[in-house]
Amino acid sequence: MTALMERETSNSASSELFEKEATKYMDELFASALRMTKQREAAEDLLSEVYSKAWKSFHQFEPGTNLRAWLYKILTNTYINHYRHKQREPYMVELDRPDDPDTGQGGDLYDRILGASPSPFDNPDAVLANRILDQDLTKAIEGLPEEFRMAVLLSDVQNFAYQEIADILSIPIGTVRSRIWRGRRLLQRILWKQAVEAGIVTEDKKGKAPV
Amino acid sequence: MNCDEWFEKLYQILDADLSNKAVWKDLQDHMKGCQPCWDRFEFEKRIKARLKDSCGKESCSETIRARIKALFKK
């Protein structure tokens, strides 16, 4: 009886600790969920499902290991299993098709701005700092094909190391490297396309990027 | 090390994904002596920072916060 009571006390203490620790990550998990589902309502449902699962299986969690990464693993798994199939969308850029059929190049933002702009005021850094808005970046990341979006999100937005991303997504670290590489290149191609569409830069290589 | 070789490993420097100190030093040395590669690195660093700022700052609503907190009472 005493042993049971002790166990109950210790369980309840650790569940309180778990609640306290796990809820710290609510906002950042929500931000990630939003970039995955692209819809606020779906992201909220996803988030509560994540916490519900985490709560049910928190006895499987080993104290001292990385709680944040564990929650992200639940998030990505839940998203992949329950949400992904509901919203297949055409990608904003095609993966291996070059943008420029003449050169065969799929120029990214940096190269394209450098190529288009003879003015030092329109260098890639200036365009990024002054003309590319936060919402452009959000839209671009949401336009990435999912496997690249997940890798870039975990790396650039949530600052996970490659090995942690490999564990979260259950893929080899070499795959993480190549997804981040291609994901970032694609992201820049999307940003370039958006910038052209918005009239921030001009596609004509001979022309000058508008001020 | 030439610029193409450097470019291939660009993200390994950016993300601190390099355990080989000699390679790390080669990459750093190339960058310090090559303005275009240096500029490229700075740009990639900035875009990474901008992504974090723009995509990472969201707050969930009080409704959902309460819904999740209620889960823990079950």
Side-chain angles (χ1 to χ4, degrees), chain A residues 38-70:
Chain A
K38 307 177 194 175
Q39 290 161 338
R40 201 156 268 273
E41 207 179 316
E44 291 187 342
D45 289 344
L46 175 56
L47 188 71
S48 34
E49 206 172 323
V50 167
Y51 274 97
S52 169
K53 281 189 177 153
W55 182 235
K56 278 180 201 146
S57 54
F58 100 92
H59 56 275
Q60 291 169 13
F61 175 73
E62 294 164 36
T65 58
N66 192 339
L67 175 64
R68 184 171 173 255
W70 186 70

mmCIF file of all heavy atoms in Angstrom, chain A residues 38-70:
data_model
loop_
_atom_site.group_PDB
_atom_site.id
_atom_site.type_symbol
_atom_site.label_atom_id
_atom_site.label_comp_id
_atom_site.label_asym_id
_atom_site.label_seq_id
_atom_site.Cartn_x
_atom_site.Cartn_y
_atom_site.Cartn_z
ATOM 1 N N LYS A 38 -0.460 24.544 -43.485
ATOM 2 C CA LYS A 38 -0.739 25.813 -44.169
ATOM 3 C C LYS A 38 -2.082 26.427 -43.788
ATOM 4 O O LYS A 38 -2.524 27.382 -44.407
ATOM 5 C CB LYS A 38 -0.677 25.654 -45.696
ATOM 6 C CG LYS A 38 0.604 25.033 -46.200
ATOM 7 C CD LYS A 38 0.561 24.837 -47.699
ATOM 8 C CE LYS A 38 1.675 23.915 -48.148
ATOM 9 N NZ LYS A 38 1.595 23.620 -49.576
ATOM 10 N N GLN A 39 -2.751 25.850 -42.817
ATOM 11 C CA GLN A 39 -4.044 26.390 -42.387
ATOM 12 C C GLN A 39 -4.096 26.417 -40.873
ATOM 13 O O GLN A 39 -3.754 25.435 -40.230
ATOM 14 C CB GLN A 39 -5.194 25.505 -42.885
ATOM 15 C CG GLN A 39 -5.390 25.570 -44.374
ATOM 16 C CD GLN A 39 -6.186 24.399 -44.883
ATOM 17 O OE1 GLN A 39 -6.252 23.346 -44.225
ATOM 18 N NE2 GLN A 39 -6.796 24.565 -46.040
ATOM 19 N N ARG A 40 -4.566 27.536 -40.368
ATOM 20 C CA ARG A 40 -4.581 27.735 -38.929
ATOM 21 C C ARG A 40 -5.408 26.676 -38.187
ATOM 22 O O ARG A 40 -4.958 26.102 -37.201
ATOM 23 C CB ARG A 40 -5.123 29.142 -38.639
ATOM 24 C CG ARG A 40 -4.765 29.718 -37.309
ATOM 25 C CD ARG A 40 -4.822 31.229 -37.336
ATOM 26 N NE ARG A 40 -3.521 31.808 -37.665
ATOM 27 C CZ ARG A 40 -2.596 32.074 -36.738
ATOM 28 N NH1 ARG A 40 -2.818 31.843 -35.475
ATOM 29 N NH2 ARG A 40 -1.429 32.585 -37.090
ATOM 30 N N GLU A 41 -6.566 26.423 -38.711
ATOM 31 C CA GLU A 41 -7.450 25.479 -38.024
ATOM 32 C C GLU A 41 -6.863 24.062 -38.006
ATOM 33 O O GLU A 41 -6.856 23.385 -36.981
ATOM 34 C CB GLU A 41 -8.816 25.470 -38.709
ATOM 35 C CG GLU A 41 -9.950 25.084 -37.793
ATOM 36 C CD GLU A 41 -11.287 25.130 -38.529
ATOM 37 O OE1 GLU A 41 -11.527 26.110 -39.270
ATOM 38 O OE2 GLU A 41 -12.061 24.176 -38.370
ATOM 39 N N ALA A 42 -6.353 23.657 -39.160
ATOM 40 C CA ALA A 42 -5.729 22.327 -39.255
ATOM 41 C C ALA A 42 -4.504 22.253 -38.349
ATOM 42 O O ALA A 42 -4.249 21.229 -37.711
ATOM 43 C CB ALA A 42 -5.358 22.032 -40.696
ATOM 44 N N ALA A 43 -3.763 23.359 -38.279
ATOM 45 C CA ALA A 43 -2.568 23.385 -37.430
ATOM 46 C C ALA A 43 -2.947 23.240 -35.954
ATOM 47 O O ALA A 43 -2.263 22.561 -35.186
ATOM 48 C CB ALA A 43 -1.789 24.674 -37.656
ATOM 49 N N GLU A 44 -4.067 23.852 -35.579
ATOM 50 C CA GLU A 44 -4.512 23.749 -34.182
ATOM 51 C C GLU A 44 -4.947 22.326 -33.856
ATOM 52 O O GLU A 44 -4.637 21.804 -32.791
ATOM 53 C CB GLU A 44 -5.665 24.737 -33.932
ATOM 54 C CG GLU A 44 -5.172 26.175 -33.976
ATOM 55 C CD GLU A 44 -6.214 27.202 -33.564
ATOM 56 O OE1 GLU A 44 -7.428 26.879 -33.560
ATOM 57 O OE2 GLU A 44 -5.822 28.319 -33.237
ATOM 58 N N ASP A 45 -5.677 21.719 -34.797
ATOM 59 C CA ASP A 45 -6.082 20.325 -34.583
ATOM 60 C C ASP A 45 -4.862 19.417 -34.476
ATOM 61 O O ASP A 45 -4.796 18.545 -33.620
ATOM 62 C CB ASP A 45 -6.975 19.841 -35.736
ATOM 63 C CG ASP A 45 -8.351 20.490 -35.702
ATOM 64 O OD1 ASP A 45 -8.694 21.057 -34.643
ATOM 65 O OD2 ASP A 45 -9.057 20.440 -36.727
ATOM 66 N N LEU A 46 -3.913 19.667 -35.383
ATOM 67 C CA LEU A 46 -2.685 18.867 -35.372
ATOM 68 C C LEU A 46 -1.957 19.029 -34.043
ATOM 69 O O LEU A 46 -1.523 18.050 -33.428
ATOM 70 C CB LEU A 46 -1.793 19.281 -36.552
ATOM 71 C CG LEU A 46 -0.398 18.659 -36.672
ATOM 72 C CD1 LEU A 46 -0.446 17.134 -36.708
ATOM 73 C CD2 LEU A 46 0.313 19.172 -37.928
ATOM 74 N N LEU A 47 -1.869 20.265 -33.585
ATOM 75 C CA LEU A 47 -1.164 20.529 -32.331
ATOM 76 C C LEU A 47 -1.829 19.808 -31.154
ATOM 77 O O LEU A 47 -1.142 19.190 -30.326
ATOM 78 C CB LEU A 47 -1.109 22.036 -32.065
ATOM 79 C CG LEU A 47 -0.234 22.455 -30.896
ATOM 80 C CD1 LEU A 47 1.238 22.284 -31.217
ATOM 81 C CD2 LEU A 47 -0.489 23.918 -30.518
ATOM 82 N N SER A 48 -3.155 19.860 -31.092
ATOM 83 C CA SER A 48 -3.760 19.178 -29.931
ATOM 84 C C SER A 48 -3.621 17.660 -30.052
ATOM 85 O O SER A 48 -3.468 16.983 -29.044
ATOM 86 C CB SER A 48 -5.204 19.594 -29.651
ATOM 87 O OG SER A 48 -5.891 19.866 -30.794
ATOM 88 N N GLU A 49 -3.611 17.172 -31.269
ATOM 89 C CA GLU A 49 -3.384 15.740 -31.434
ATOM 90 C C GLU A 49 -1.974 15.346 -30.971
ATOM 91 O O GLU A 49 -1.775 14.302 -30.352
ATOM 92 C CB GLU A 49 -3.583 15.370 -32.907
ATOM 93 C CG GLU A 49 -3.996 13.916 -33.091
ATOM 94 C CD GLU A 49 -4.372 13.608 -34.534
ATOM 95 O OE1 GLU A 49 -4.977 14.493 -35.194
ATOM 96 O OE2 GLU A 49 -4.056 12.504 -34.991
ATOM 97 N N VAL A 50 -1.032 16.207 -31.268
ATOM 98 C CA VAL A 50 0.353 15.949 -30.850
ATOM 99 C C VAL A 50 0.434 15.882 -29.321
ATOM 100 O O VAL A 50 1.015 14.951 -28.755
ATOM 101 C CB VAL A 50 1.312 17.039 -31.393
ATOM 102 C CG1 VAL A 50 2.674 16.975 -30.721
ATOM 103 C CG2 VAL A 50 1.447 16.906 -32.905
ATOM 104 N N TYR A 51 -0.168 16.856 -28.666
ATOM 105 C CA TYR A 51 -0.110 16.865 -27.196
ATOM 106 C C TYR A 51 -0.903 15.711 -26.598
ATOM 107 O O TYR A 51 -0.513 15.151 -25.572
ATOM 108 C CB TYR A 51 -0.562 18.216 -26.654
ATOM 109 C CG TYR A 51 0.595 19.190 -26.616
ATOM 110 C CD1 TYR A 51 0.794 20.109 -27.637
ATOM 111 C CD2 TYR A 51 1.527 19.157 -25.581
ATOM 112 C CE1 TYR A 51 1.865 20.981 -27.629
ATOM 113 C CE2 TYR A 51 2.609 20.015 -25.553
ATOM 114 C CZ TYR A 51 2.774 20.931 -26.582
ATOM 115 O OH TYR A 51 3.853 21.779 -26.567
ATOM 116 N N SER A 52 -1.989 15.371 -27.245
ATOM 117 C CA SER A 52 -2.769 14.250 -26.758
ATOM 118 C C SER A 52 -1.948 12.957 -26.836
ATOM 119 O O SER A 52 -1.887 12.165 -25.884
ATOM 120 C CB SER A 52 -4.050 14.155 -27.596
ATOM 121 O OG SER A 52 -4.716 12.964 -27.347
ATOM 122 N N LYS A 53 -1.258 12.763 -27.962
ATOM 123 C CA LYS A 53 -0.406 11.575 -28.126
ATOM 124 C C LYS A 53 0.760 11.592 -27.152
ATOM 125 O O LYS A 53 1.109 10.573 -26.555
ATOM 126 C CB LYS A 53 0.152 11.508 -29.546
ATOM 127 C CG LYS A 53 -0.863 10.992 -30.519
ATOM 128 C CD LYS A 53 -0.213 10.722 -31.851
ATOM 129 C CE LYS A 53 -1.254 10.140 -32.790
ATOM 130 N NZ LYS A 53 -0.957 10.409 -34.183
ATOM 131 N N ALA A 54 1.365 12.749 -27.016
ATOM 132 C CA ALA A 54 2.517 12.872 -26.122
ATOM 133 C C ALA A 54 2.093 12.547 -24.689
ATOM 134 O O ALA A 54 2.784 11.833 -23.967
ATOM 135 C CB ALA A 54 3.084 14.283 -26.197
ATOM 136 N N TRP A 55 0.934 13.059 -24.323
ATOM 137 C CA TRP A 55 0.430 12.840 -22.971
ATOM 138 C C TRP A 55 0.144 11.363 -22.728
ATOM 139 O O TRP A 55 0.485 10.813 -21.685
ATOM 140 C CB TRP A 55 -0.814 13.695 -22.764
ATOM 141 C CG TRP A 55 -1.434 13.623 -21.406
ATOM 142 C CD1 TRP A 55 -2.722 13.303 -21.120
ATOM 143 C CD2 TRP A 55 -0.799 13.882 -20.146
ATOM 144 N NE1 TRP A 55 -2.937 13.353 -19.772
ATOM 145 C CE2 TRP A 55 -1.782 13.699 -19.137
ATOM 146 C CE3 TRP A 55 0.495 14.250 -19.770
ATOM 147 C CZ2 TRP A 55 -1.503 13.862 -17.785
ATOM 148 C CZ3 TRP A 55 0.767 14.421 -18.407
ATOM 149 C CH2 TRP A 55 -0.228 14.222 -17.446
ATOM 150 N N LYS A 56 -0.470 10.709 -23.721
ATOM 151 C CA LYS A 56 -0.786 9.287 -23.566
ATOM 152 C C LYS A 56 0.467 8.423 -23.491
ATOM 153 O O LYS A 56 0.456 7.372 -22.878
ATOM 154 C CB LYS A 56 -1.660 8.817 -24.737
ATOM 155 C CG LYS A 56 -3.131 9.153 -24.530
ATOM 156 C CD LYS A 56 -3.966 8.680 -25.715
ATOM 157 C CE LYS A 56 -5.281 9.433 -25.774
ATOM 158 N NZ LYS A 56 -5.725 9.640 -27.153
ATOM 159 N N SER A 57 1.505 8.848 -24.163
ATOM 160 C CA SER A 57 2.684 7.972 -24.201
ATOM 161 C C SER A 57 3.882 8.568 -23.468
ATOM 162 O O SER A 57 5.007 8.197 -23.717
ATOM 163 C CB SER A 57 3.049 7.656 -25.651
ATOM 164 O OG SER A 57 3.210 8.847 -26.365
ATOM 165 N N PHE A 58 3.583 9.469 -22.557
ATOM 166 C CA PHE A 58 4.722 10.122 -21.915
ATOM 167 C C PHE A 58 5.525 9.175 -21.015
ATOM 168 O O PHE A 58 6.693 9.396 -20.773
ATOM 169 C CB PHE A 58 4.297 11.417 -21.199
ATOM 170 C CG PHE A 58 4.096 11.308 -19.716
ATOM 171 C CD1 PHE A 58 5.152 11.572 -18.848
ATOM 172 C CD2 PHE A 58 2.861 10.959 -19.197
ATOM 173 C CE1 PHE A 58 4.970 11.483 -17.477
ATOM 174 C CE2 PHE A 58 2.679 10.874 -17.824
ATOM 175 C CZ PHE A 58 3.726 11.123 -16.961
ATOM 176 N N HIS A 59 4.874 8.055 -20.626
ATOM 177 C CA HIS A 59 5.637 7.053 -19.866
ATOM 178 C C HIS A 59 6.744 6.426 -20.718
ATOM 179 O O HIS A 59 7.693 5.874 -20.210
ATOM 180 C CB HIS A 59 4.698 5.970 -19.318
ATOM 181 C CG HIS A 59 3.898 5.298 -20.379
ATOM 182 N ND1 HIS A 59 2.701 5.812 -20.841
ATOM 183 C CD2 HIS A 59 4.131 4.178 -21.102
ATOM 184 C CE1 HIS A 59 2.232 5.021 -21.799
ATOM 185 N NE2 HIS A 59 3.081 4.031 -21.969
ATOM 186 N N GLN A 60 6.591 6.540 -22.061
ATOM 187 C CA GLN A 60 7.641 6.014 -22.954
ATOM 188 C C GLN A 60 8.798 6.989 -23.086
ATOM 189 O O GLN A 60 9.858 6.649 -23.584
ATOM 190 C CB GLN A 60 7.089 5.776 -24.366
ATOM 191 C CG GLN A 60 6.103 4.639 -24.461
ATOM 192 C CD GLN A 60 5.402 4.651 -25.814
ATOM 193 O OE1 GLN A 60 5.811 5.341 -26.742
ATOM 194 N NE2 GLN A 60 4.331 3.880 -25.915
ATOM 195 N N PHE A 61 8.528 8.202 -22.689
ATOM 196 C CA PHE A 61 9.581 9.200 -22.811
ATOM 197 C C PHE A 61 10.621 8.997 -21.727
ATOM 198 O O PHE A 61 10.289 8.813 -20.552
ATOM 199 C CB PHE A 61 8.989 10.605 -22.711
ATOM 200 C CG PHE A 61 10.036 11.670 -22.704
ATOM 201 C CD1 PHE A 61 10.712 11.984 -23.860
ATOM 202 C CD2 PHE A 61 10.372 12.318 -21.529
ATOM 203 C CE1 PHE A 61 11.715 12.946 -23.859
ATOM 204 C CE2 PHE A 61 11.375 13.282 -21.512
ATOM 205 C CZ PHE A 61 12.043 13.589 -22.684
ATOM 206 N N GLU A 62 11.877 9.007 -22.125
ATOM 207 C CA GLU A 62 12.939 8.814 -21.138
ATOM 208 C C GLU A 62 13.448 10.165 -20.661
ATOM 209 O O GLU A 62 13.979 10.948 -21.455
ATOM 210 C CB GLU A 62 14.099 8.041 -21.766
ATOM 211 C CG GLU A 62 13.737 6.619 -22.146
ATOM 212 C CD GLU A 62 14.773 6.016 -23.099
ATOM 213 O OE1 GLU A 62 15.966 6.320 -22.926
ATOM 214 O OE2 GLU A 62 14.360 5.270 -23.997
ATOM 215 N N PRO A 63 13.274 10.419 -19.364
ATOM 216 C CA PRO A 63 13.762 11.700 -18.836
ATOM 217 C C PRO A 63 15.258 11.844 -19.109
ATOM 218 O O PRO A 63 15.988 10.853 -19.104
ATOM 219 C CB PRO A 63 13.503 11.584 -17.333
ATOM 220 C CG PRO A 63 12.443 10.549 -17.201
ATOM 221 C CD PRO A 63 12.658 9.597 -18.328
ATOM 222 N N GLY A 64 15.659 13.031 -19.384
ATOM 223 C CA GLY A 64 17.072 13.261 -19.678
ATOM 224 C C GLY A 64 17.349 13.245 -21.173
ATOM 225 O O GLY A 64 18.361 13.732 -21.635
ATOM 226 N N THR A 65 16.424 12.654 -21.956
ATOM 227 C CA THR A 65 16.604 12.732 -23.410
ATOM 228 C C THR A 65 15.896 13.995 -23.906
ATOM 229 O O THR A 65 15.258 14.704 -23.136
ATOM 230 C CB THR A 65 16.044 11.493 -24.132
ATOM 231 O OG1 THR A 65 14.662 11.356 -23.825
ATOM 232 C CG2 THR A 65 16.785 10.228 -23.709
ATOM 233 N N ASN A 66 15.997 14.209 -25.177
ATOM 234 C CA ASN A 66 15.540 15.468 -25.747
ATOM 235 C C ASN A 66 14.018 15.525 -25.947
ATOM 236 O O ASN A 66 13.480 14.991 -26.905
ATOM 237 C CB ASN A 66 16.278 15.642 -27.076
ATOM 238 C CG ASN A 66 16.130 17.033 -27.627
ATOM 239 O OD1 ASN A 66 15.200 17.757 -27.271
ATOM 240 N ND2 ASN A 66 17.052 17.407 -28.488
ATOM 241 N N LEU A 67 13.338 16.181 -25.027
ATOM 242 C CA LEU A 67 11.869 16.273 -25.084
ATOM 243 C C LEU A 67 11.396 17.028 -26.322
ATOM 244 O O LEU A 67 10.426 16.640 -26.972
ATOM 245 C CB LEU A 67 11.340 16.961 -23.812
ATOM 246 C CG LEU A 67 9.829 17.235 -23.758
ATOM 247 C CD1 LEU A 67 9.029 15.934 -23.766
ATOM 248 C CD2 LEU A 67 9.463 18.054 -22.520
ATOM 249 N N ARG A 68 12.112 18.088 -26.630
ATOM 250 C CA ARG A 68 11.726 18.907 -27.781
ATOM 251 C C ARG A 68 11.762 18.062 -29.072
ATOM 252 O O ARG A 68 10.814 18.061 -29.849
ATOM 253 C CB ARG A 68 12.675 20.105 -27.865
ATOM 254 C CG ARG A 68 12.330 21.071 -28.961
ATOM 255 C CD ARG A 68 13.176 22.344 -28.852
ATOM 256 N NE ARG A 68 12.946 23.173 -30.010
ATOM 257 C CZ ARG A 68 13.819 23.309 -31.004
ATOM 258 N NH1 ARG A 68 14.977 22.693 -30.964
ATOM 259 N NH2 ARG A 68 13.525 24.066 -32.040
ATOM 260 N N ALA A 69 12.856 17.338 -29.264
ATOM 261 C CA ALA A 69 12.975 16.505 -30.469
ATOM 262 C C ALA A 69 11.905 15.415 -30.482
ATOM 263 O O ALA A 69 11.345 15.087 -31.528
ATOM 264 C CB ALA A 69 14.369 15.890 -30.551
ATOM 265 N N TRP A 70 11.605 14.878 -29.316
ATOM 266 C CA TRP A 70 10.581 13.834 -29.202
ATOM 267 C C TRP A 70 9.213 14.388 -29.622
ATOM 268 O O TRP A 70 8.473 13.754 -30.363
ATOM 269 C CB TRP A 70 10.549 13.327 -27.751
ATOM 270 C CG TRP A 70 9.664 12.156 -27.499
ATOM 271 C CD1 TRP A 70 9.862 10.875 -27.916
ATOM 272 C CD2 TRP A 70 8.437 12.152 -26.733
ATOM 273 N NE1 TRP A 70 8.833 10.073 -27.467
ATOM 274 C CE2 TRP A 70 7.949 10.820 -26.742
ATOM 275 C CE3 TRP A 70 7.712 13.132 -26.047
ATOM 276 C CZ2 TRP A 70 6.782 10.451 -26.093
ATOM 277 C CZ3 TRP A 70 6.545 12.768 -25.400
ATOM 278 C CH2 TRP A 70 6.088 11.440 -25.418
#
